[in-house]
Amino acid sequence: MTTLDQIRRPIESEIEEFNAFVRKNFSEEQGTLIGDMLEYVLSSRGKGLRPVVVMLAAGATSATGNFGKRTMLAAMLVEMIHVASLIHDDVIDESDYRRGRDSVNARWQSRNAVIIGDYILARNMNIGLQSGQYDLLTHIIGAMSTLCEGELIQSDHASKLDTSREHYLDIIYRKTASLFSVCGSVGAISVGASPDKVAAMRTFGKMLGMAFQIVDDILDVTSTLEKLGKMAGSDAQNGKSTYVTLLGVEECQRLVDKLTDDAMSALDAFENNDALTEYAKYLADREN
Ligand code: FPP
Ligand code: MG
């Protein structure tokens, strides 16, 4: 099975540069509440899948195969929206663990967690505005309201327990796949790719994001706190009807395979897209 390390290898040095760029933009004095909270959040950002998709999409669609500062900025804007959304998500889900550690709300209480999430979003927006790269910012910021819609629609269904397959797919598109699709398209936009390449990368990101969330939902019922580093079984506990609880793990796996095929079809227009193709395969294999 392809590993995530193999997928990241072609852009290893860029990922390091990206991590330093994020720290430079989101660090504050240690020993202050804001500084300590930011340090805690930045020191466990997880696998960084979204910036990887932005950078791979940029590399695959740029005329030279290279990408620069605009791509780094786009990757950071997307990643920090994701980081803030998970801080808020753990407050909503009353989850005490994230990435094998106390969640921000467990460590500093929900009221501080909400504010640091807001702070990250505000600072992110400021950085985007000050950069003057309005095309990137405009493209990315739309995803924030879509994420909120996903959470609210999910919450509405949780109280009514009437989730259909269509509702579920709509929810996971909004809460997860919309941001992944932006990762694909903004990566391509950041290097001035043609509209058809931007559209193909958008489709790639969307299918990947749908597959990713279904796998996440499968793992919620099949895995453990120790393996996941976050609470398992919390979807049912929070009244969320996921595709897994609706149709079972096997049906979900079939859907993940189909979405991954669709993601790979979106790449047909490209040559030398091994890293992206491997990434799609990695997600499909992840829980096997
Ligand atoms: C994780 O779902 C949650 C998301 C992918 C989206 C969260 C979005 C919000 C809280 C809306 C606020 C948006 C912004 C931009 C601040 P999950 O609970 O199924 O996954 P988990 O198991 O990782 O917790
Ligand atoms: Mg959650």
Side-chain angles (χ1 to χ4, degrees):
M1 185 181 97
T2 315
T3 65
L4 189 54
D5 283 343
Q6 286 169 310
I7 294 157
R8 290 148 72 126
R9 202 152 295 148
I11 51 168
E12 229 163 34
S13 65
E14 287 86 351
I15 292 174
E16 269 187 32
E17 199 185 318
F18 172 76
N19 291 336
F21 182 56
V22 171
R23 280 198 167 274
K24 186 167 158 258
N25 278 288
F26 281 89
S27 293
E28 280 295 329
E29 193 188 332
Q30 294 295 288
T32 62
L33 181 58
I34 293 182
D36 291 351
M37 289 179 93
L38 285 176
E39 174 56 32
Y40 190 76
V41 168
L42 292 188
S43 61
S44 71
R45 270 198 300 105
K47 296 177 284 295
L49 295 180
R50 287 155 192 81
V52 165
V53 174
V54 175
M55 289 187 241
L56 290 177
T61 56
S62 90
T64 59
N66 298 322
F67 55 85
K69 285 198 166 58
R70 259 168 67 81
T71 304
M72 291 285 168
L73 175 72
M76 184 171 73
L77 295 175
V78 169
E79 176 71 347
M80 296 316 285
I81 289 172
H82 168 64
V83 165
S85 76
L86 286 189
I87 295 173
H88 284 179
D89 181 69
D90 285 339
V91 173
I92 295 163
D93 290 348
E94 297 178 4
S95 181
D96 288 342
Y97 302 100
R98 174 70 64 185
R99 296 177 181 133
R101 308 195 308 186
D102 287 349
S103 60
V104 175
N105 46 302
R107 187 151 176 156
W108 280 285
Q109 300 182 305
S110 292
R111 59 170 190 265
N112 290 321
V114 170
I115 298 296
I116 198 72
D118 290 345
Y119 177 83
I120 290 169
L121 291 174
R123 191 154 166 164
N124 207 34
M125 191 91 77
N126 246 338
I127 294 167
L129 285 169
Q130 278 172 1
S131 74
Q133 310 286 332
Y134 302 122
D135 60 334
L136 301 180
L137 192 62
T138 312
H139 193 77
I140 292 167
I141 293 304
M144 280 169 60
S145 49
T146 312
L147 253 67
C148 296
E149 287 160 13
E151 280 293 305
L152 284 169
I153 297 169
Q154 176 173 271
S155 170
D156 196 29
H157 282 288
S159 53
K160 291 188 194 143
L161 295 174
D162 64 346
T163 315
S164 67
R165 172 192 165 119
E166 285 68 34
H167 292 138
Y168 172 72
L169 293 176
D170 180 46
I171 290 167
I172 65 169
Y173 167 69
R174 289 175 203 259
K175 80 174 200 180
T176 302
S178 59
L179 196 57
F180 267 100
S181 70
V182 163
C183 291
S185 49
V186 85
I189 290 171
S190 72
V191 292
S194 61
D196 59 323
K197 288 189 173 173
V198 172
M201 281 299 140
R202 189 176 179 82
T203 304
F204 170 76
K206 176 181 169 184
M207 298 307 166
L208 215 51
M210 298 292 282
F212 179 88
Q213 187 58 49
I214 297 169
V215 170
D216 193 72
D217 292 343
I218 293 174
L219 292 174
D220 189 75
V221 287
T222 59
S223 198
T224 59
L225 169 65
E226 290 70 35
K227 282 196 195 146
L228 291 177
K230 62 183 180 181
M231 272 150 68
S234 66
D235 288 343
Q237 225 171 7
N238 287 311
K240 284 183 208 167
S241 294
T242 70
Y243 206 49
V244 186
T245 54
L246 288 170
L247 290 171
V249 171
E250 263 180 38
E251 176 65 21
C252 287
Q253 186 54 52
R254 266 196 291 279
L255 190 62
V256 170
D257 292 343
K258 160 107 182 45
L259 289 163
T260 309
D261 284 348
D262 289 350
M264 292 206 226
S265 306
L267 302 179
D268 281 350
F270 303 95
E271 286 171 15
N272 301 323
N273 56 20
D274 289 356
L276 279 167
T277 310
E278 292 306 317
Y279 188 26
K281 280 194 202 142
Y282 158 77
L283 275 182
D285 292 345
R286 205 172 70 155
E287 80 285 13
N288 290 335

